[in-house]
Amino acid sequence: MADAGPLRTVLTVGRAARDIETMKVRGAGRLARHAVQALHDLAATHPGPDRALQAELRRAAKRLVATRPTAVSLRNAVEEATSPLASRNGDMRAAVLTASQRFIARSHAAVETISLLGARLLDGDGWVLTHCNSACSVGVIAKAREGHDIRAFACETRPRRQGLLTAAQLRQRRVPVTLIVDSAMNLVMPDVDWVVVGADTIAANGDVVNKVGTSLVALSAKQHGVPFYVAAETYKVAPWARSGRDVRIEQRAAREVVDPRDAPGVGVYNPVFDVTPARLVTRIVTEAGVVRPSAVRAAAARARDRSRRA
Ligand code: RI2
């Protein structure tokens, strides 16, 4: 597993792909690290000559990127780990190992930095609302709780109910938390001081693609004058997407919404993400700083340059 210690077993590409497809491993940052760990282990264990490894890594990269079509974290992470394939110089295998390890370390460090920066925005006692389950958001809320009496609303997040994970993680980090059904979000919003959510992909114009329902949270926050913060690592930025419209929205199986026996003959539409327009986003908290949505692309470029120089 991407987050395990030195005694872990080898993570095969097939296993990693299945873990991500079945959402055994989920969360945009975590699944990116999981995919990169599989590429790392492939490079570390492949017995063949470089040319055979190269072909195998290219196949693996394709397979892994296809597992969750919306999360650009996955694509950016896999591209970074396999970037040495484009170079003709040096030890390709060693370079892939280094690039993978560097990505995983940078990804963990980014969550820490985002937690610190985001916590400064929650600058007093109050209620924060979050949607779905995001390591970055939980990090921000838990860090803020160290300095203030912060309480959280966690939206249940139909259909897979990742809000239960959020509630458990916040409890574990000593944040008082109240679970609500998604449709209660507008009712509680007058009592909310801040919204913090994660992101799966951020378009170049600052549109945020996150778990379905996030755009409703943003609309409700706007209506009630509540700041809407997005906490996300810069490798979730997709410079090629001019707006959220350019991002493909993953659709998952109908049975995640309802057992087909309970709704015979009924069509089910199960889009996993939606697009929150940049104009509803107050700030985006990245490891490269807290920025306006319009500046997120530049922040991502800065972070990329910095990591290349490191
Ligand atoms: P972190 C999740 O997607 C949620 O939409 C969450 O907001 C986002 O990834 C970011 O999560 P899914 O894998 O990277 O549950 O902040 O579909 O953990």
Side-chain angles (χ1 to χ4, degrees):
M1 303 279 287
D3 295 337
L7 289 177
R8 62 179 183 78
T9 52
V10 169
L11 178 64
T12 65
V13 170
R15 152 70 57 193
R18 281 192 301 279
D19 288 345
I20 296 170
E21 275 163 352
T22 57
M23 293 184 71
K24 183 175 167 207
V25 172
R26 50 147 298 280
R30 191 159 169 248
L31 60 85
R33 289 192 294 275
H34 203 58
V36 168
Q37 187 68 62
L39 293 169
H40 171 278
D41 289 5
L42 175 61
T45 56
H46 193 277
D50 271 12
R51 195 179 299 168
L53 170 61
Q54 209 160 36
E56 202 56 41
L57 281 167
R58 285 194 208 284
R59 258 198 301 276
K62 254 199 197 134
R63 168 82 179 99
L64 290 164
V65 167
T67 52
R68 299 283 315 267
T70 301
V72 79
S73 55
L74 191 54
R75 175 166 152 184
N76 285 341
V78 165
E79 275 175 11
E80 185 171 327
T82 55
S83 58
L85 299 188
S87 153
R88 287 172 184 276
N89 310 320
D91 182 343
M92 182 272 296
R93 187 188 299 261
V96 169
L97 293 176
T98 306
S100 312
Q101 287 159 355
R102 196 180 293 164
F103 173 81
I104 291 170
R106 186 161 69 86
S107 167
H108 281 299
V111 177
E112 293 302 311
T113 306
I114 288 166
S115 303
L116 282 170
L117 295 178
R120 289 189 201 147
L121 299 171
L122 278 48
D123 51 356
D125 300 346
W127 282 87
V128 58
L129 181 143
T130 190
H131 187 65
C132 199
N133 177 247
S134 145
C136 290
S137 302
V138 168
V140 166
I141 296 167
K143 196 78 204 158
R145 170 80 192 171
E146 290 174 16
H148 300 286
D149 185 10
I150 301 279
R151 285 149 195 275
F153 284 115
C155 291
E156 179 193 25
T157 320
R158 281 277 294 151
R160 296 187 68 110
R161 308 182 82 204
Q162 291 99 324
L164 293 175
L165 292 173
T166 300
Q169 290 166 4
L170 287 173
R171 269 310 293 143
Q172 202 185 6
R173 297 182 70 173
R174 300 179 189 289
V175 181
V177 57
T178 302
L179 191 69
I180 55 170
V181 294
D182 300 337
S183 37
M185 66 176 80
N186 194 53
L187 184 82
V188 303
M189 200 56 85
D191 295 324
V192 170
D193 299 284
W194 317 272
V195 170
V196 181
V197 295
D200 293 79
T201 293
I202 303 176
N205 70 343
D207 285 355
V208 172
V209 183
N210 192 48
K211 185 51 41 77
V212 69
T214 301
S215 64
L216 292 174
V217 181
L219 281 168
S220 175
K222 186 70 163 185
Q223 176 74 18
H224 292 90
V226 176
F228 182 91
Y229 297 124
V230 174
E233 306 90 327
T234 52
Y235 64 85
K236 292 171 182 165
V237 174
W240 47 265
R242 274 173 306 169
S243 77
R245 275 200 301 272
D246 293 337
V247 179
R248 187 173 146 208
I249 301 292
E250 175 184 358
Q251 287 172 46
R252 296 184 65 88
R255 64 177 177 280
E256 289 188 349
V257 176
V258 65
D259 184 327
R261 287 168 303 188
D262 292 338
V266 174
V268 174
Y269 175 47
N270 184 21
V272 185
F273 303 105
D274 68 14
V275 179
T276 298
R279 67 184 158 76
L280 298 180
V281 177
T282 310
R283 289 289 185 277
I284 301 180
V285 186
T286 76
E287 76 279 14
V290 179
V291 296
R292 289 177 198 279
S294 56
V296 76
R297 187 184 181 172
R302 270 203 311 280
R304 244 190 336 268
D305 286 350
R306 206 176 298 156
S307 90
R308 276 193 198 125
R309 282 199 305 271

